[in-house]
Amino acid sequence: MTVSDADAARALADGRLVILPTETVYGLAADAGNAVAVAAIFEAKGRPRFNPLIAHVADAVQAEAVAVFDAQARALAEAFWPGPLTIVAPLRDRDRVCDLARAGLDSVAVRVPGHARARAIIAAFGRPVVAPSANRSGRPSPTTFADAVEETGTFAGVLIDGGDCAVGVESTVVSVLDGRVSLLRPGSVTREEIEAVVGPLARFGQGDGEGHRSPGRMALHYAPDAPVRIEAEAARPGEILLGFGPGVGDPRWSLSAAGDLREAAANLFRRLREADRERPTGIAVSPIPPHGLGEAINDRLRRAAGFVG
Ligand code: TXA
Ligand code: MG
């Protein structure tokens, strides 16, 4: 049965959850202003309540109704929206994105997704929609409809099949607070691309309060059941090797035989899930170059391997 944008918008208005495709990963969406619906998201994911959600909006006008943007935030929105950049900025409206969705913070994360279907549903709904990745907390994000259904489908009243996610890793999260731009989560918009718009990013540790950090960045995140071993040169007995580059490992399991970072990002979570289903003793992953999109891929892999605190 096909579901219209109006059907999805009605479900959101009724306080139900929606499996929502985006260009990065599938989300589990709810009315950002409905605390009961937002609580159901935390429940479905098993997500700790101190980890705030991203408010997805249809355009920059809707974003500025929720958050206070300075010139730098506007320049970033202009450069990268619609698309995989999330901007954390001071809160303007306490009600449109409820306290629980923000984990009580006086800042709010907003993004305009690049997926046309997601934007159409949000526009039909008319207000912000919070949507964390549709995985259960700590697991790899779903990048196909089938994976989203498997993770949290039973909690959703409406499920939208938007095809495979083109980007495959979550949005880049930056904060624009007190005139300073900081990278909170590397993602598909690269550090280099952001710095080309706003200049050098602020570094943590120089008078930065904890409030500038992303509260949800726990160790052992994005993890399959099998142990993940990164920077691997070859598979050990019982392991599946996710290769990168020509001639590395079994081509069926390669992240990108061409050594292309975009392709590797698009394949990353899907391959981790597929490999996990084979019940290997472990999943080994080839070294991935650190630049550009490689920063986000390595970040997710280090967390999947349990290395980052
Ligand atoms: O690509 C994406 O961003 C996907 C799709 C579905 O849009 N969503 C996603 O949401 O990745 P989630 O909930 O899995 O990640 C949201 C991240 C977390 O790391 C959270 O801590 C951070 O954004 N965040 C949200 N609000 C924040 C705030 N006010 N200050 C700092 N970090 C915030
Ligand atoms: Mg997530």
Side-chain angles (χ1 to χ4, degrees), residues 45 47 132-133 135 141 170 185 221-222:
K45 283 180 60 76
R47 178 173 174 122
S133 48
N135 53 287
S141 300
E170 300 84 352
R185 176 175 75 180
H221 212 130
Y222 312 108

Side-chain angles (χ1 to χ4, degrees), residues 224-239:
D225 291 333
V228 174
R229 187 167 66 85
I230 57 178
E231 313 277 344
E233 295 302 335
R236 293 175 184 159
E239 277 184 346

